Amino acid sequence: MRTFLLALGMVLLLCPVGVALAGTFDALPPESAQAEAMLGWAAYEAGDYLEAYAHFDAAVALRPTDPSYLDGRAFAAHALGRYEDAVADYTLALEISPNRIPAYFAGRARALFALGRFAEAIEDYDRAIALDGSDAELYDDRAEALCALGNHRQALEDYNRALALVPQSANYLSHRGAAFAALERYESALQDYSQAIELVPEEAGLYNRRGNVLVSLGRNEEALADYGRAIELRPREAVFYDNRAVLLHTMGRYEEALSDADQAVSLCGGETRLAFLIHRANTLTVLGYHEEIVRDLDVALAMEPFNATALNQRGNALYALYRYEEALEDFTMAAHLRSTDPVLYSNRAGALFQLGRYQETAEAYAKASELAPDNAAHHAGQGNAMMALGQYTQALTYFERALELEPGSPDVLGSQAGAFFRLGQYAQALLGYDAVIAAYPDSAFFINGRGNAHFALDRYQEALADFRTAAALLPDNLVIRGNLANALYTLAHYEESVMEDSNILAHAPDTYSAYIRRGDALLRQELFAQAQQDGEDAIQLEPNEAAGYMLRGVALFNLYQHSDALADFDRAAEITPNNPQVFDTRGNAFSFMSLFEEALADFNRAIELAPDRAGLYFKRAYALIRLERYEEALADCDHAMALDPGARPEWMDALEEWRMVNSQSIVKGE
């Protein structure tokens, strides 16, 4: 901005020629307005603006119609930040001045500029320039006001005029450089800043501004050098460290960026501290220092509680720390403050999803999609929310929309494959997983998903291969380990299955399914005592689940503890009265104990619950044979072989012989 030397010089001219200022005040009468004015200027030059104002005020009181004293008081008022008072004094000075003095228009313009009344300031600069078009400072000041209104192109004309009058002004070159930069004419800006630096090589701010331009030009190493030079010249200027920190961050030099960010935060205060804390949080995020981010942004938000950027950043850090409720609060407030920002709704949706609030998750993603309809991630997120709600068909529509926007997106294809799987469309799920794995060959999650699809299609060897690969990639993932154990069990690799489940239970001893599966595999290896123990452990974990009683019951039966085994089977039947396997197993036990009436009752119930199982009819037929109910036994065998033509137990020969003999007896009339 323009200095005050012009007006000061005009007042000094009021002093008698050849009379020095020092030592003259005492010779003047106290009531002299001129004496008060001279005291005012002396105080002003000493930086005591309050005293200066008091002296000029006294001068105005003595000579209220002298514009030079109003001018002096306006100077002091401006220095004190009392811009409205300055405007009032300049306005009065202009009204009473016999001549239209450019300095008064310029002074009022400066005060109007400080008040943010840029258009009025420009009008006053126009008047001043019309009266004195040779003052370069006026053009520079008017250009600044034009820039404040965003009119950088017109400002360039004024900067050019100022430089035509004073070609070697580093200030004017620097100001014009800023206008060029605002217009993204970075090469021109660079030229102006470089020329200014040649004129004033020790001015730190010029290096900082040139560094900013070099960043815009992608000349990062040169920018670093300029920021470094600025810091050398003015080592306690926080903004220089902050600018270098931001650049180092973009260059991936995060530790160096953090060091500079620390310096910037330690040196700054006020509003700039908030911005610098946010910048430091960006680097801390990349480095994974989430606790430190929360600490920084707690400070920032204490200064400005409704800063949406800081709230969003803190929310992200809290999310990374699994503090989802707190993260949700921050994202919700940020979205309220900046309601047109889709990212904030998307972040909010992520926190809601982690909290299991899936309907609200879908609504938040819907809002994000409304604000950014071409963002595939928002549609995919809504699809995932529908998946969590069990609405798989609807989820597919969102995944399809996401794939229209981002064809071939591996993440979306993976989610879509999951929806197909849930809908029982295993072949389509398999195709989706194949496409994803082609893009992410080391993704244990997707390989495990493909394994599930293979398993559902009874392709157990392929499933086993996928589960092995996924487990090798994520050896500590117990879900994948469980799938591997299940595939091994299904393929009768019982020893390996037992080893996998033992590993799972070593890490998660409360895994009910692992006890059941391991116990069953132990039964297959005739390790009945160990199987019994697994059954007991399972019952301890889930006393109201039938599988534990069934496991222990079978183990006990094979250990010849028949009554205890039957008690377990009875308990299983109470818990799951509609489970045919329970009655099938208990029926087998009764048959083994030659309690065929009881066995018959259980097989009847099992067939009632599962009428398409051929084996149940054969088992009932055997009980009927032992009860000498041969005709019924034959009918059951016929029905069983109709269901499964390849099935034929060994004892069928004897029954067929009975049928033949019996039919011959009927023919003979015996």
Side-chain angles (χ1 to χ4, degrees):
M1 294 297 295
R2 183 173 182 221
T3 63
F4 303 137
L5 295 179
L6 177 59
L8 177 57
M10 293 180 64
V11 175
L12 292 177
L13 289 175
L14 296 175
C15 301
V17 178
V19 177
L21 286 176
T24 61
F25 302 135
D26 293 340
L28 295 170
E31 68 273 16
S32 167
Q34 186 179 14
E36 292 290 349
M38 294 175 74
L39 289 168
W41 287 117
Y44 186 93
E45 284 296 296
D48 191 343
Y49 305 124
L50 195 60
E51 183 180 350
Y53 187 90
H55 285 301
F56 287 126
D57 193 46
V60 170
L62 292 168
R63 296 283 299 276
T65 60
D66 190 326
S68 66
Y69 301 148
L70 289 165
D71 178 38
R73 188 169 69 178
F75 258 78
H78 190 111
L80 290 167
R82 293 162 56 177
Y83 305 118
E84 292 286 2
D85 291 342
V87 169
D89 276 350
Y90 281 123
T91 300
L92 184 56
L94 285 164
E95 288 174 358
I96 64 177
S97 176
N99 301 309
R100 293 167 60 81
I101 300 176
Y104 296 171
F105 284 114
R108 186 169 68 179
R110 286 191 298 273
L112 289 166
F113 184 98
L115 289 167
R117 294 157 62 178
F118 305 121
E120 295 173 76
I122 289 169
E123 290 177 3
D124 270 356
Y125 284 129
D126 289 344
R127 296 184 184 102
I129 289 169
L131 293 169
D132 183 5
S134 64
D135 188 343
E137 193 79 11
L138 294 176
Y139 292 107
D140 184 67
D141 284 352
R142 184 170 68 179
E144 286 195 70
L146 287 165
C147 286
L149 289 174
N151 194 346
H152 302 290
R153 294 187 187 282
Q154 191 175 345
L156 282 177
E157 297 175 10
D158 272 352
Y159 288 133
N160 290 338
R161 292 189 184 101
L163 284 162
L165 291 166
V166 185
Q168 299 299 303
S169 170
N171 277 340
Y172 302 164
L173 285 165
S174 176
H175 295 167
R176 187 173 70 176
F180 278 132
L183 292 167
E184 299 183 6
R185 294 173 58 180
Y186 299 119
E187 290 291 352
S188 297
L190 180 62
Q191 185 176 349
D192 273 356
Y193 285 132
S194 296
Q195 190 176 343
I197 287 171
E198 289 179 10
L199 295 168
V200 190
E202 301 302 311
E203 174 49 51
L206 291 173
Y207 291 98
N208 179 64
R209 289 190 283 277
R210 187 171 70 175
N212 293 339
V213 170
L214 287 165
V215 168
S216 298
L217 288 168
R219 294 161 62 174
N220 293 340
E221 291 296 339
E222 294 172 77
L224 282 179
D226 268 359
Y227 291 142
R229 179 61 176 148
I231 290 169
E232 287 175 16
L233 292 168
R234 206 187 305 163
R236 298 197 60 76
E237 185 65 53
V239 70
F240 300 164
Y241 291 100
D242 183 67
N243 285 344
R244 189 168 68 176
V246 171
L247 175 57
L248 287 166
H249 179 101
T250 63
M251 295 172 71
R253 294 162 60 174
Y254 302 117
E255 292 292 350
E256 294 172 80
L258 183 58
S259 176
D260 272 353
D262 288 342
Q263 280 287 85
V265 170
S266 68
L267 290 170
C268 73
E271 294 180 5
T272 56
R273 182 174 175 82
L274 174 66
F276 296 168
L277 285 167
I278 291 173
H279 292 165
R280 182 164 71 178
N282 289 334
T283 301
L284 289 168
T285 298
V286 176
L287 293 170
Y289 298 150
H290 303 298
E291 291 284 2
E292 290 83 349
I293 294 167
V294 173
R295 179 202 65 206
D296 268 5
L297 295 177
D298 283 346
V299 174
L301 288 163
M303 298 165 60
E304 190 176 327
F306 303 114
N307 185 295
T309 298
L311 284 164
N312 183 56
Q313 279 187 305
R314 186 173 69 179
N316 285 328
L318 291 165
Y319 185 98
L321 292 167
Y322 309 106
R323 293 161 61 180
Y324 300 122
E325 287 284 1
E326 296 168 84
L328 178 60
E329 291 180 12
D330 276 355
F331 292 142
T332 301
M333 177 59 75
H336 176 73
L337 293 167
R338 206 158 66 203
S339 59
T340 59
D341 188 342
V343 172
L344 301 178
Y345 291 97
S346 177
N347 287 347
R348 183 172 181 271
L352 287 164
F353 189 91
Q354 294 296 336
L355 291 167
R357 294 160 61 175
Y358 302 123
Q359 187 59 49
E360 293 174 85
T361 300
E363 292 166 4
Y365 275 125
K367 180 64 176 177
S369 295
E370 178 187 326
L371 293 168
D374 294 334
N375 187 305
H378 298 159
H379 296 285
Q382 201 164 357
N384 288 327
M386 291 297 105
M387 286 276 288
L389 290 167
Q391 299 177 29
Y392 307 119
T393 302
Q394 192 171 353
L396 280 175
T397 63
Y398 291 114
F399 295 142
E400 288 166 6
R401 175 60 179 147
L403 288 169
E404 288 173 10
L405 293 166
E406 195 175 325
S409 167
D411 292 324
V412 181
L413 284 170
S415 296
Q416 185 187 53
F420 281 132
F421 184 89
R422 295 293 185 182
L423 288 168
Q425 300 177 33
Y426 304 123
Q428 287 175 281
L430 196 60
L431 289 173
Y433 283 125
D434 282 341
V436 177
I437 292 166
Y440 294 147
D442 295 327
S443 171
F445 176 79
F446 292 130
I447 293 170
N448 179 67
R450 186 174 68 180
N452 286 329
H454 280 307
F455 196 93
L457 290 166
D458 298 333
R459 299 170 61 174
Y460 302 122
Q461 290 292 352
E462 292 90 338
L464 178 60
D466 273 348
F467 294 142
R468 285 192 192 279
T469 301
L473 290 167
L474 280 180
D476 295 329
N477 187 296
L478 298 184
V479 172
I480 294 174
R481 286 287 178 189
N483 288 342
L484 175 58
N486 203 40
L488 289 165
Y489 173 87
T490 303
L491 289 166
H493 300 333
Y494 299 124
E495 289 187 9
E496 284 186 85
S497 174
V498 167
M499 289 175 60
E500 283 298 331
D501 278 322
S502 296
N503 182 52
I504 291 170
L505 291 167
H507 292 86
D510 293 340
T511 308
Y512 180 80
S513 60
Y515 284 111
I516 298 299
R517 187 171 47 240
R518 185 175 71 175
D520 204 0
L522 290 166
L523 286 176
R524 306 283 177 170
Q525 299 175 76
E526 300 185 4
L527 299 171
F528 303 122
Q530 292 172 256
Q532 176 193 350
Q533 184 59 55
D534 274 353
E536 290 177 0
D537 290 338
I539 291 167
Q540 287 293 320
L541 286 172
E542 299 288 349
N544 295 317
E545 291 288 333
Y549 294 99
M550 291 295 292
L551 172 60
R552 186 174 69 178
V554 172
L556 288 168
F557 196 87
N558 282 281
L559 291 168
Y560 300 98
Q561 299 179 41
H562 295 162
S563 59
D564 290 339
L566 288 174
D568 275 349
F569 297 148
D570 291 345
R571 177 63 181 136
E574 290 174 10
I575 295 171
T576 56
N578 296 318
N579 184 346
Q581 186 63 39
V582 172
F583 296 97
D584 180 14
T585 302
R586 190 171 65 179
N588 290 335
F590 283 134
S591 285
F592 186 87
M593 297 169 69
S594 299
L595 299 172
F596 297 112
E597 288 289 354
E598 291 84 346
L600 182 62
D602 271 351
F603 291 138
N604 285 339
R605 177 59 178 158
I607 288 170
E608 179 185 341
L609 294 168
D612 296 331
R613 293 186 185 177
L616 292 174
Y617 292 95
F618 282 126
K619 291 178 181 180
R620 186 170 69 175
Y622 182 79
L624 288 166
I625 290 170
R626 299 302 299 269
L627 291 169
E628 300 182 358
R629 295 162 61 175
Y630 302 115
E631 290 290 348
E632 295 171 78
L634 279 168
D636 269 356
C637 288
D638 290 342
H639 191 77
M641 287 188 289
L643 290 171
D644 186 0
R648 193 176 189 279
E650 294 179 0
W651 47 260
M652 273 295 295
D653 291 339
L655 188 59
E656 289 289 354
E657 184 178 344
W658 178 89
R659 187 205 302 262
M660 186 178 298
V661 171
N662 192 51
S663 63
Q664 290 174 352
S665 298
I666 293 172
V667 170
K668 294 177 180 179
E670 296 177 358

